[in-house]
Amino acid sequence: MFWRKAFNALLEWKENYSQEYAAMLEGARRVGKSTIAEEFAKKNFKSYIKIDFANVKEEILELFKDIANLDIFFIRLQTVTGTTLYRNESVIIFDEIQRQPLVRQAIKYLVADGRYRYIETGSLIRIKKNVQDIVIPSEEYFIQVYPMDYEEFMLASGNDTYNVLRELYKTGKPVGEQANRKLMRDFRIYMAVGGMPQAVEAYIKGKNFEQIDKVKRSILKLYEEDFYKIDKSGRLSKMFNSIPTQLSLNKKRYVISNATGKRTTAKDREILSELIDSKTVLISYNTTDPSISLSATADEESYKMYLSDTGLFTTLLFNSADKLNTKIYAKLLSDKLDANLGYLYENAAAQMISASGNKLFYHTWKKADKTHDYEIDFLLASNAKLVPMEIKSSAVNTHKSINEFAAKFSKKVYRQYLFSQKDVDNKGQLLYKPIYMLPFVLEEL
């Protein structure tokens, strides 16, 4: 079992909030929500019952049709499952809760009863459609479960240098050419494998990248099936699949019509919201007038989209090259891919920024010639000021956008960063950091 940061969030819930709220683990499918819930229950409670509503016996579903008398309900539940529950020492896991909205509605009464604790897991791609006729409980403590981040990946793969890297980052000193080259190769392995637990497990077991890619394709196929359940027209699927292409075109925003091939309609915007709710994608909004309240000037009609997992992004990016996977991965790991893969590193950065709890924003503005735009890849706020970030895969000598931004908003800028494969350095106020140090920058801001 892999160590996951969600364990810490669950421990915070258990110690401080579990008497008033059920924990709700939400996130995309296959990010490990069910496993996290069960492993936490095993280690932190005297007993637990897990009810998987994706594969549940009819006799258990019958129990939930009458919970007016909770004493009888709990006796029946223990009898059917063969598990003894202990007051204040047991937890009941409702897995895939979105499949049984009436059970979710009952959380209000179960939590109020107070004798046991409750953890829900949900792939919320269908949850809006399944709560129309119920009272959504306010007694839920939401915990977002992301794909495994770089720290979780390193620990899972037996690499214990993450804390050493953090201490090295704090010194502000360069890593050194050879060490940086190795650390970047390690990070490219993470970009290739990604953070979906099944893919990470395949990597740890020594599977080759063609086999790992098959694991990721099976996850993408599962997403496709979910998308078609939501939208039988296929537009939702097209919107998802077009993300790498639209990023590679280096456009300043995602365009729905480029994905669907048709004029954008109100229905398309509704479908887009379904895609965002699925947690399979990350959305970054263009903030038109950067200030410490980035969301206040975010343009909801101008945005970019990324995949929530860079490993899946890598597979989707090369999805048409079935017989070339081994060569593609070999070139990626050795940094010899011909294509300009700045957008691949950009997706990795988006994933890390989101996993740190930050919303995604970027900023574009016209150049003096009015024909082209400047663009800041990511904008964060810290210490009541702005932190612009630029992401590059290779060439770092050209950084006109961030220079112009720093000049334009000189009184608002706290720090400015350029993340790439280059070692630690600086040019004036512009700080160069290798992209594997982005998590430490986020911890510090």
Side-chain angles (χ1 to χ4, degrees):
M1 171 59 199
F2 304 131
W3 176 79
R4 304 295 299 275
K5 290 180 178 178
F7 290 145
N8 294 341
L10 277 170
L11 192 59
E12 171 75 9
W13 160 78
K14 180 178 184 290
E15 293 178 349
N16 299 303
Y17 304 103
S18 61
Q19 292 183 329
E20 301 173 23
Y21 299 94
M24 167 64 93
L25 301 181
E26 63 171 343
R29 294 187 69 181
R30 299 297 175 90
V31 294
K33 301 182 299 296
S34 303
T35 303
I36 289 169
E38 190 163 10
E39 286 298 315
F40 183 81
K42 287 178 182 178
K43 294 178 180 178
N44 292 277
F45 290 91
K46 188 172 181 178
S47 70
Y48 73 95
I49 292 173
K50 178 184 175 183
I51 302 172
D52 179 1
F53 288 114
N55 183 27
V56 62
K57 295 180 180 178
E58 187 62 34
E59 60 181 333
I60 291 181
L61 285 180
E62 285 290 327
L63 299 179
F64 289 95
K65 293 181 179 179
D66 181 12
I67 63 168
N69 188 324
L70 287 177
D71 291 332
I72 294 176
F73 169 77
F74 287 126
I75 289 172
R76 289 173 174 169
L77 181 63
Q78 291 174 88
T79 301
V80 170
T81 61
T83 300
T84 300
L85 296 173
Y86 302 90
R87 185 178 290 270
N88 296 319
E89 297 182 89
S90 295
V91 63
I92 300 173
I93 301 170
F94 295 137
D95 199 20
E96 300 291 350
I97 190 68
Q98 78 278 0
R99 293 174 178 266
Q100 293 294 328
L102 291 177
V103 176
R104 188 181 178 206
Q105 179 176 259
I107 284 293
K108 176 182 179 68
Y109 308 103
L110 295 172
V111 170
D113 173 70
R115 69 187 89 179
Y116 310 120
R117 306 294 177 258
Y118 302 91
I119 299 175
E120 304 166 277
T121 78
S123 300
L124 303 188
I125 189 167
R126 294 193 62 86
I127 208 159
K128 281 187 177 180
K129 295 183 179 297
N130 289 351
V131 298
Q132 294 175 356
D133 300 320
I134 73 167
V135 177
I136 299 175
S138 58
E139 296 77 13
E140 289 177 326
Y141 182 91
F142 284 86
I143 298 173
Q144 181 68 46
V145 180
Y146 299 94
M148 295 173 71
D149 66 15
Y150 190 44
E151 180 179 10
E152 292 169 324
F153 176 81
M154 289 182 75
L155 289 173
S157 57
N159 189 331
D160 59 358
T161 62
Y162 194 81
N163 287 329
V164 176
L165 275 178
R166 181 185 281 111
E167 293 305 311
L168 183 58
Y169 164 78
K170 290 177 181 178
T171 69
K173 304 292 185 183
V175 176
E177 184 178 349
Q178 289 190 356
N180 181 63
R181 189 180 298 117
K182 178 188 181 302
L183 289 166
M184 273 309 312
R185 187 177 189 280
D186 290 345
F187 188 78
R188 288 194 296 271
I189 289 174
Y190 171 63
M191 290 200 302
V193 176
M196 303 304 281
Q198 285 178 293
V200 176
E201 183 176 22
Y203 170 70
I204 291 170
K205 288 183 176 179
K207 303 292 186 182
N208 61 41
F209 276 99
E210 189 170 3
Q211 294 169 311
I212 295 169
D213 200 63
K214 286 181 180 178
V215 172
K216 292 188 291 176
R217 286 176 187 240
S218 71
I219 295 172
L220 289 170
K221 186 175 186 298
L222 185 69
Y223 287 175
E224 289 275 336
E225 292 170 357
D226 280 344
F227 295 154
Y228 275 99
K229 290 176 185 176
I230 296 291
D231 168 48
K232 290 181 171 56
S233 74
R235 284 174 292 180
L236 178 56
S237 179
K238 288 178 180 177
M239 290 179 192
F240 178 82
N241 287 318
S242 77
I243 291 174
T245 300
Q246 296 214 34
L247 283 173
S248 70
L249 294 174
N250 200 27
K251 298 292 185 182
K252 67 179 183 179
R253 66 188 182 96
Y254 181 94
V255 180
I256 293 176
S257 60
N258 286 354
T260 62
K262 298 179 180 179
R263 182 176 60 86
T264 301
T265 65
K267 182 62 176 177
D268 289 329
R269 294 187 179 91
E270 181 183 332
I271 291 171
L272 176 69
S273 70
E274 298 275 10
L275 180 58
I276 296 168
D277 285 342
S278 75
K279 306 296 183 181
T280 60
V281 303
L282 305 171
I283 189 162
S284 178
Y285 289 103
N286 189 357
T287 179
T288 56
D289 183 20
S291 64
I292 58 170
S293 180
L294 293 167
S295 58
T297 60
D299 181 359
E300 294 188 356
E301 296 299 318
S302 181
Y303 51 84
K304 289 187 175 184
M305 284 203 292
Y306 304 91
L307 264 65
S308 61
D309 179 69
T310 301
L312 293 183
F313 181 91
T314 303
T315 294
L316 196 61
L317 178 65
F318 301 123
N319 210 23
S320 62
D322 291 329
K323 297 181 180 180
L324 299 176
N325 286 325
T326 303
K327 290 183 179 180
I328 286 173
Y329 279 110
K331 288 186 176 182
L332 171 61
L333 297 181
S334 60
D335 194 32
K336 292 182 179 179
L337 278 174
D338 297 331
N340 176 12
L341 290 181
Y343 50 96
L344 178 56
Y345 286 83
E346 194 175 321
N347 198 101
Q351 180 180 345
M352 288 187 281
I353 292 169
S354 293
S356 70
N358 288 285
K359 292 182 179 180
L360 298 175
F361 298 98
Y362 69 104
H363 178 59
T364 63
W365 73 103
K366 288 289 184 185
K367 292 183 177 181
D369 60 16
K370 303 294 184 181
T371 60
H372 296 86
D373 292 326
Y374 289 118
E375 180 177 311
I376 298 300
D377 294 325
F378 298 103
L379 265 180
L380 278 74
S382 179
N383 288 282
K385 289 195 173 184
L386 298 171
V387 180
M389 296 181 174
E390 191 164 341
I391 313 297
K392 289 184 176 290
S393 62
S394 54
V396 296
N397 293 324
T398 304
H399 38 77
K400 187 73 172 175
S401 290
I402 201 164
N403 289 347
E404 291 294 324
F405 183 91
K408 183 178 180 181
F409 299 99
S410 58
K411 294 182 179 180
K412 293 183 179 181
V413 172
Y414 174 50
R415 291 178 186 168
Q416 47 185 300
Y417 292 95
L418 192 154
F419 292 96
S420 67
Q421 300 189 65
K422 180 181 171 64
D423 199 354
V424 175
D425 199 358
N426 70 281
K427 285 190 177 180
Q429 298 300 309
L430 181 59
L431 303 173
Y432 289 78
K433 302 289 182 184
I435 193 167
Y436 55 78
M437 285 190 174
L438 176 53
F440 309 133
V441 171
L442 295 169
E443 288 175 1
E444 193 175 65
L445 291 177

